[in-house]
Amino acid sequence: MFHKLFPNANVEDLITATEETLYMTALSVIGTFILGLLLGLLLYLTSKQNIWANKPLNFIVATIVNVFRAIPFIILILLLFPFTEFLIGTIRGPNAALPALIIGAAPFYGRLVEIALKEVDKGVIEAAKSMGAKTSTIIFKVLLPESMPALVSGITVTSINLISYSAMAGVIGAGGLGDLAYLKGFQRWDFDVVFLATILIVIIVFIFQFVGDLISNKLDKR
C-alpha cells in the first residue's frame, strides 16, 4: 500500500533523513537555549536602571543581536562556510549545519529572553536586593525561575524556526528531510518524496509544539 501511494519513496532514506533532522534540531535547540539565554541576560542586565547598567555594552550586544537577526538564514550559512569548515572540518552533513543553526537562532531567542525577563515583577527583584542578595542569586533564584514559563514558550517557538532552518540547510548538503525533499524529491521530479518529507516535518513541528506547551503550562504557577 505504501509503495503504491509513494512509489519513489525509500523507507530507509526517510528514517535516516528524519533522524538527521531530529539530531540537528535537538542539538541546535540546546545550543540556542544556552547562547540565547546569555544574550538575553546581557541585554536585560546591562539595560538602563538594571543591575549591570552599561549603555556601551548594551549597545554592542544589541547591535550584534540585531545584525544576526537581519541576515537571511540561507545567506548566513554561506557566510559561515569558512568558520564551519574550521570548526567541524567539513561543510556537509548534519554536524556542519549546527554552527549556522545556533548562530542564526540564538539572537532571535535572546530577544525573547529579554522580553520574558522584563515581565518579571520589579518588586520581587527589589525585595531580593533589599535582603542583600548577590547578582548571581537574583539571576538564578528570581529572574530565571519567575520567567521560566515564558522562556520555555520562547524556546518552543525558536525550535520550530530551527526545524525550518534545518530544512533549508538540507538544501545545501546538511542532510535531513530538507536534503531528501530537494535532492531525492524535487530534483528528480519525485513529488511523492517531497510530500512525504513535508508531512514528516509538520509532524515534528507538532510534537515540539505539544511538548513545549505542556512543559510551559506545568511551570506556569498562575
PDB file of all heavy atoms in Angstrom, residues 112-132:
ATOM      1  N   LEU A 112      13.691  37.163  22.846  1.00  0.00           N
ATOM      2  CA  LEU A 112      12.555  36.590  23.580  1.00  0.00           C
ATOM      3  C   LEU A 112      12.885  36.467  25.074  1.00  0.00           C
ATOM      4  O   LEU A 112      12.020  36.685  25.922  1.00  0.00           O
ATOM      5  CB  LEU A 112      12.186  35.221  23.004  1.00  0.00           C
ATOM      6  CG  LEU A 112      11.669  35.193  21.564  1.00  0.00           C
ATOM      7  CD1 LEU A 112      11.319  33.766  21.152  1.00  0.00           C
ATOM      8  CD2 LEU A 112      10.453  36.102  21.389  1.00  0.00           C
ATOM      9  N   VAL A 113      14.136  36.115  25.358  1.00  0.00           N
ATOM     10  CA  VAL A 113      14.586  36.026  26.759  1.00  0.00           C
ATOM     11  C   VAL A 113      14.519  37.409  27.412  1.00  0.00           C
ATOM     12  O   VAL A 113      14.018  37.554  28.531  1.00  0.00           O
ATOM     13  CB  VAL A 113      16.022  35.470  26.844  1.00  0.00           C
ATOM     14  CG1 VAL A 113      16.568  35.592  28.277  1.00  0.00           C
ATOM     15  CG2 VAL A 113      16.066  34.013  26.392  1.00  0.00           C
ATOM     16  N   GLU A 114      15.007  38.415  26.712  1.00  0.00           N
ATOM     17  CA  GLU A 114      14.977  39.787  27.234  1.00  0.00           C
ATOM     18  C   GLU A 114      13.540  40.208  27.549  1.00  0.00           C
ATOM     19  O   GLU A 114      13.268  40.776  28.624  1.00  0.00           O
ATOM     20  CB  GLU A 114      15.587  40.746  26.208  1.00  0.00           C
ATOM     21  CG  GLU A 114      15.624  42.191  26.693  1.00  0.00           C
ATOM     22  CD  GLU A 114      15.985  43.177  25.599  1.00  0.00           C
ATOM     23  OE1 GLU A 114      15.876  42.820  24.407  1.00  0.00           O
ATOM     24  OE2 GLU A 114      16.343  44.314  25.936  1.00  0.00           O
ATOM     25  N   ILE A 115      12.614  39.926  26.631  1.00  0.00           N
ATOM     26  CA  ILE A 115      11.206  40.273  26.841  1.00  0.00           C
ATOM     27  C   ILE A 115      10.642  39.537  28.062  1.00  0.00           C
ATOM     28  O   ILE A 115       9.930  40.119  28.883  1.00  0.00           O
ATOM     29  CB  ILE A 115      10.374  39.947  25.579  1.00  0.00           C
ATOM     30  CG1 ILE A 115      10.770  40.870  24.430  1.00  0.00           C
ATOM     31  CG2 ILE A 115       8.875  40.060  25.861  1.00  0.00           C
ATOM     32  CD1 ILE A 115      10.271  40.423  23.072  1.00  0.00           C
ATOM     33  N   ALA A 116      10.983  38.247  28.183  1.00  0.00           N
ATOM     34  CA  ALA A 116      10.499  37.446  29.318  1.00  0.00           C
ATOM     35  C   ALA A 116      11.012  38.003  30.642  1.00  0.00           C
ATOM     36  O   ALA A 116      10.265  38.075  31.625  1.00  0.00           O
ATOM     37  CB  ALA A 116      10.942  35.993  29.153  1.00  0.00           C
ATOM     38  N   LEU A 117      12.273  38.402  30.679  1.00  0.00           N
ATOM     39  CA  LEU A 117      12.865  38.939  31.911  1.00  0.00           C
ATOM     40  C   LEU A 117      12.250  40.284  32.290  1.00  0.00           C
ATOM     41  O   LEU A 117      12.090  40.591  33.471  1.00  0.00           O
ATOM     42  CB  LEU A 117      14.383  39.082  31.742  1.00  0.00           C
ATOM     43  CG  LEU A 117      15.165  37.767  31.562  1.00  0.00           C
ATOM     44  CD1 LEU A 117      16.627  38.052  31.252  1.00  0.00           C
ATOM     45  CD2 LEU A 117      15.054  36.880  32.791  1.00  0.00           C
ATOM     46  N   LYS A 118      11.894  41.080  31.286  1.00  0.00           N
ATOM     47  CA  LYS A 118      11.275  42.377  31.556  1.00  0.00           C
ATOM     48  C   LYS A 118       9.891  42.231  32.188  1.00  0.00           C
ATOM     49  O   LYS A 118       9.388  43.168  32.823  1.00  0.00           O
ATOM     50  CB  LYS A 118      11.165  43.192  30.262  1.00  0.00           C
ATOM     51  CG  LYS A 118      12.485  43.807  29.819  1.00  0.00           C
ATOM     52  CD  LYS A 118      12.315  44.601  28.528  1.00  0.00           C
ATOM     53  CE  LYS A 118      13.614  45.289  28.137  1.00  0.00           C
ATOM     54  NZ  LYS A 118      13.493  46.025  26.851  1.00  0.00           N
ATOM     55  N   GLU A 119       9.281  41.062  31.995  1.00  0.00           N
ATOM     56  CA  GLU A 119       7.943  40.816  32.544  1.00  0.00           C
ATOM     57  C   GLU A 119       7.976  40.416  34.025  1.00  0.00           C
ATOM     58  O   GLU A 119       6.936  40.363  34.673  1.00  0.00           O
ATOM     59  CB  GLU A 119       7.247  39.703  31.743  1.00  0.00           C
ATOM     60  CG  GLU A 119       6.916  40.083  30.305  1.00  0.00           C
ATOM     61  CD  GLU A 119       5.967  41.267  30.204  1.00  0.00           C
ATOM     62  OE1 GLU A 119       4.969  41.278  30.952  1.00  0.00           O
ATOM     63  OE2 GLU A 119       6.233  42.178  29.404  1.00  0.00           O
ATOM     64  N   VAL A 120       9.177  40.115  34.542  1.00  0.00           N
ATOM     65  CA  VAL A 120       9.306  39.728  35.953  1.00  0.00           C
ATOM     66  C   VAL A 120       8.994  40.936  36.835  1.00  0.00           C
ATOM     67  O   VAL A 120       9.467  42.050  36.586  1.00  0.00           O
ATOM     68  CB  VAL A 120      10.731  39.199  36.257  1.00  0.00           C
ATOM     69  CG1 VAL A 120      10.889  38.904  37.756  1.00  0.00           C
ATOM     70  CG2 VAL A 120      11.017  37.949  35.436  1.00  0.00           C
ATOM     71  N   ASP A 121       8.200  40.718  37.853  1.00  0.00           N
ATOM     72  CA  ASP A 121       7.774  41.783  38.780  1.00  0.00           C
ATOM     73  C   ASP A 121       8.993  42.461  39.406  1.00  0.00           C
ATOM     74  O   ASP A 121       9.814  41.806  40.061  1.00  0.00           O
ATOM     75  CB  ASP A 121       6.890  41.172  39.873  1.00  0.00           C
ATOM     76  CG  ASP A 121       6.245  42.224  40.761  1.00  0.00           C
ATOM     77  OD1 ASP A 121       6.639  43.402  40.677  1.00  0.00           O
ATOM     78  OD2 ASP A 121       5.362  41.848  41.543  1.00  0.00           O
ATOM     79  N   LYS A 122       9.100  43.766  39.188  1.00  0.00           N
ATOM     80  CA  LYS A 122      10.235  44.537  39.728  1.00  0.00           C
ATOM     81  C   LYS A 122      10.264  44.480  41.259  1.00  0.00           C
ATOM     82  O   LYS A 122      11.330  44.528  41.877  1.00  0.00           O
ATOM     83  CB  LYS A 122      10.124  46.001  39.287  1.00  0.00           C
ATOM     84  CG  LYS A 122      10.270  46.224  37.797  1.00  0.00           C
ATOM     85  CD  LYS A 122      11.708  46.166  37.358  1.00  0.00           C
ATOM     86  CE  LYS A 122      11.836  46.512  35.877  1.00  0.00           C
ATOM     87  NZ  LYS A 122      13.227  46.334  35.400  1.00  0.00           N
ATOM     88  N   GLY A 123       9.086  44.352  41.861  1.00  0.00           N
ATOM     89  CA  GLY A 123       9.008  44.304  43.324  1.00  0.00           C
ATOM     90  C   GLY A 123       9.729  43.098  43.896  1.00  0.00           C
ATOM     91  O   GLY A 123      10.364  43.190  44.961  1.00  0.00           O
ATOM     92  N   VAL A 124       9.649  41.969  43.192  1.00  0.00           N
ATOM     93  CA  VAL A 124      10.318  40.751  43.645  1.00  0.00           C
ATOM     94  C   VAL A 124      11.833  40.938  43.588  1.00  0.00           C
ATOM     95  O   VAL A 124      12.562  40.530  44.503  1.00  0.00           O
ATOM     96  CB  VAL A 124       9.901  39.538  42.762  1.00  0.00           C
ATOM     97  CG1 VAL A 124      10.613  38.272  43.215  1.00  0.00           C
ATOM     98  CG2 VAL A 124       8.403  39.341  42.799  1.00  0.00           C
ATOM     99  N   ILE A 125      12.299  41.590  42.516  1.00  0.00           N
ATOM    100  CA  ILE A 125      13.743  41.844  42.363  1.00  0.00           C
ATOM    101  C   ILE A 125      14.230  42.797  43.446  1.00  0.00           C
ATOM    102  O   ILE A 125      15.275  42.573  44.067  1.00  0.00           O
ATOM    103  CB  ILE A 125      14.046  42.415  40.955  1.00  0.00           C
ATOM    104  CG1 ILE A 125      13.633  41.415  39.873  1.00  0.00           C
ATOM    105  CG2 ILE A 125      15.538  42.753  40.812  1.00  0.00           C
ATOM    106  CD1 ILE A 125      13.624  41.974  38.470  1.00  0.00           C
ATOM    107  N   GLU A 126      13.468  43.874  43.684  1.00  0.00           N
ATOM    108  CA  GLU A 126      13.843  44.856  44.712  1.00  0.00           C
ATOM    109  C   GLU A 126      13.855  44.218  46.098  1.00  0.00           C
ATOM    110  O   GLU A 126      14.711  44.538  46.923  1.00  0.00           O
ATOM    111  CB  GLU A 126      12.870  46.047  44.684  1.00  0.00           C
ATOM    112  CG  GLU A 126      12.972  46.919  43.441  1.00  0.00           C
ATOM    113  CD  GLU A 126      14.368  47.489  43.231  1.00  0.00           C
ATOM    114  OE1 GLU A 126      15.030  47.847  44.228  1.00  0.00           O
ATOM    115  OE2 GLU A 126      14.799  47.552  42.066  1.00  0.00           O
ATOM    116  N   ALA A 127      12.919  43.317  46.349  1.00  0.00           N
ATOM    117  CA  ALA A 127      12.871  42.629  47.651  1.00  0.00           C
ATOM    118  C   ALA A 127      14.120  41.781  47.843  1.00  0.00           C
ATOM    119  O   ALA A 127      14.705  41.757  48.946  1.00  0.00           O
ATOM    120  CB  ALA A 127      11.621  41.752  47.718  1.00  0.00           C
ATOM    121  N   ALA A 128      14.546  41.103  46.774  1.00  0.00           N
ATOM    122  CA  ALA A 128      15.767  40.283  46.844  1.00  0.00           C
ATOM    123  C   ALA A 128      16.987  41.162  47.091  1.00  0.00           C
ATOM    124  O   ALA A 128      17.870  40.816  47.884  1.00  0.00           O
ATOM    125  CB  ALA A 128      15.933  39.487  45.552  1.00  0.00           C
ATOM    126  N   LYS A 129      17.037  42.316  46.423  1.00  0.00           N
ATOM    127  CA  LYS A 129      18.155  43.255  46.601  1.00  0.00           C
ATOM    128  C   LYS A 129      18.203  43.772  48.035  1.00  0.00           C
ATOM    129  O   LYS A 129      19.274  43.870  48.647  1.00  0.00           O
ATOM    130  CB  LYS A 129      18.008  44.448  45.647  1.00  0.00           C
ATOM    131  CG  LYS A 129      18.427  44.176  44.214  1.00  0.00           C
ATOM    132  CD  LYS A 129      18.264  45.477  43.418  1.00  0.00           C
ATOM    133  CE  LYS A 129      18.535  45.269  41.941  1.00  0.00           C
ATOM    134  NZ  LYS A 129      18.304  46.514  41.179  1.00  0.00           N
ATOM    135  N   SER A 130      17.031  44.112  48.586  1.00  0.00           N
ATOM    136  CA  SER A 130      16.961  44.680  49.939  1.00  0.00           C
ATOM    137  C   SER A 130      17.418  43.679  51.000  1.00  0.00           C
ATOM    138  O   SER A 130      17.847  44.062  52.089  1.00  0.00           O
ATOM    139  CB  SER A 130      15.536  45.154  50.241  1.00  0.00           C
ATOM    140  OG  SER A 130      14.653  44.048  50.316  1.00  0.00           O
ATOM    141  N   MET A 131      17.330  42.380  50.658  1.00  0.00           N
ATOM    142  CA  MET A 131      17.783  41.344  51.594  1.00  0.00           C
ATOM    143  C   MET A 131      19.255  40.994  51.384  1.00  0.00           C
ATOM    144  O   MET A 131      19.767  40.051  51.958  1.00  0.00           O
ATOM    145  CB  MET A 131      16.913  40.093  51.445  1.00  0.00           C
ATOM    146  CG  MET A 131      15.494  40.277  51.968  1.00  0.00           C
ATOM    147  SD  MET A 131      14.553  38.735  51.997  1.00  0.00           S
ATOM    148  CE  MET A 131      14.248  38.473  50.268  1.00  0.00           C
ATOM    149  N   GLY A 132      19.913  41.786  50.518  1.00  0.00           N
ATOM    150  CA  GLY A 132      21.356  41.613  50.302  1.00  0.00           C
ATOM    151  C   GLY A 132      21.710  40.484  49.351  1.00  0.00           C
ATOM    152  O   GLY A 132      22.847  39.981  49.377  1.00  0.00           O
TER     153      GLY A 132
END
